[in-house]
Amino acid sequence: MPAAPDLVEAAFRALAGARDAKAFHPRGRWFEGELTTTFDPALPLPVGEVEVCGRLSKGVGTPGGLPDVLGLAFRLPGPWDVLLSTSRSRVLPWPARTWTTGRYGSITPFRWRDRLVWLAAVPDACRTRSAALADLPAEPAFTLEVGPPWRPVGRLVTRPLDVDRDLPALDPVLNRPAGLELAPAVLARLRESAYRGSRRGRSPDPVTAPDAWSGVGPGSRKL
């Protein structure tokens, strides 16, 4: 009988192949911006201001403005790809009605220096009509928090990135700082299998290596 990770990889590969896109968060809007953070030993976030490039997306890909588990992903220097999704009670993915009414969280914790830490982003209050990509605010901004206990550690300000093609996939499994683990271990293995299946199911395979972002992202303003 196939092991659970193999079944997860096969399922995500099939779904990505059927969509010819990522199994989850298949469509979104790219952005560039700045992340400004203060030092906090909970996570190895860069201190000061850094340029980021990322994506806001609908997790399942519900049509139009229907609620969805919304995603906020961005690349930090390193590279470190951060993926947050609207959630409740820290660990439960939860559909949001608009882009600014949900709390975006890491869902599962990071393990850093033998401690479990969650990361979250709280959007600025802004009147938005629905979860449609067309209803995204012009320049969404977020306050980054770590916990528990929850405390602010940074500020993310974004601007739409005018691109007419899909950029290389952000991958929090492949791209993270040395020593930073995804926890718990059993879910981390399943998550790795899911991402591997999603990468392999798309055509052509996305380039997720750091040099694929040459000219786009932290440290560059060019496309």
Side-chain angles (χ1 to χ4, degrees):
M1 178 179 295
D6 295 332
L7 294 174
V8 169
E9 179 177 343
F12 274 72
R13 184 170 185 170
L15 181 55
R19 287 182 158 184
D20 197 19
K22 291 188 289 186
F24 287 107
H25 300 277
R27 299 289 180 265
R29 188 182 81 181
W30 290 91
F31 64 79
E32 62 181 353
E34 291 80 37
L35 175 67
T36 304
T37 56
T38 56
F39 173 75
D40 192 296
L43 285 175
L45 292 164
V47 178
E49 182 177 299
V50 295
E51 293 183 357
V52 300
C53 188
R55 188 171 179 262
L56 284 153
S57 59
K58 301 190 68 170
V60 177
T62 58
L66 291 178
D68 203 336
V69 177
L70 305 178
L72 168 65
F74 53 92
R75 174 163 291 185
L76 297 173
W80 178 9
D81 289 347
V82 176
L83 174 60
L84 309 174
S85 299
T86 52
S87 57
R88 281 190 178 180
S89 303
R90 194 188 305 167
V91 297
L92 182 63
W94 197 262
R97 293 181 178 274
T98 76
W99 295 94
T100 58
T101 54
R103 179 185 176 90
Y104 297 73
S106 56
I107 309 295
T108 58
F110 299 99
R111 186 181 300 277
W112 175 248
R113 295 178 177 173
D114 295 325
R115 296 188 63 182
L116 296 180
V117 184
W118 277 261
L119 179 65
V122 181
D124 286 3
C126 178
R127 186 183 297 276
T128 52
R129 294 181 298 176
S130 74
L133 290 170
D135 286 337
L136 266 166
E139 296 185 352
F142 305 83
T143 297
L144 260 62
E145 298 181 351
V146 296
W150 290 108
R151 55 197 181 274
V153 292
R155 178 84 176 154
L156 173 64
V157 179
T158 74
R159 300 175 299 278
L161 188 57
D162 185 17
V163 294
D164 58 1
R165 59 187 175 85
D166 197 20
L167 296 175
L170 294 158
D171 194 318
V173 170
L174 291 180
N175 300 319
R176 48 193 167 93
L180 183 70
E181 300 176 3
L182 305 177
V186 61
L187 290 182
R189 288 193 293 271
L190 294 177
R191 191 177 186 185
E192 289 170 359
S193 298
Y195 271 83
R196 185 166 55 248
S198 184
R199 288 194 300 268
R200 293 177 176 176
R202 286 171 288 188
S203 178
D205 281 346
V207 180
T208 56
D211 59 2
W213 280 63
S214 177
V216 181
S220 175
R221 310 290 290 189
K222 300 183 294 182
L223 295 179

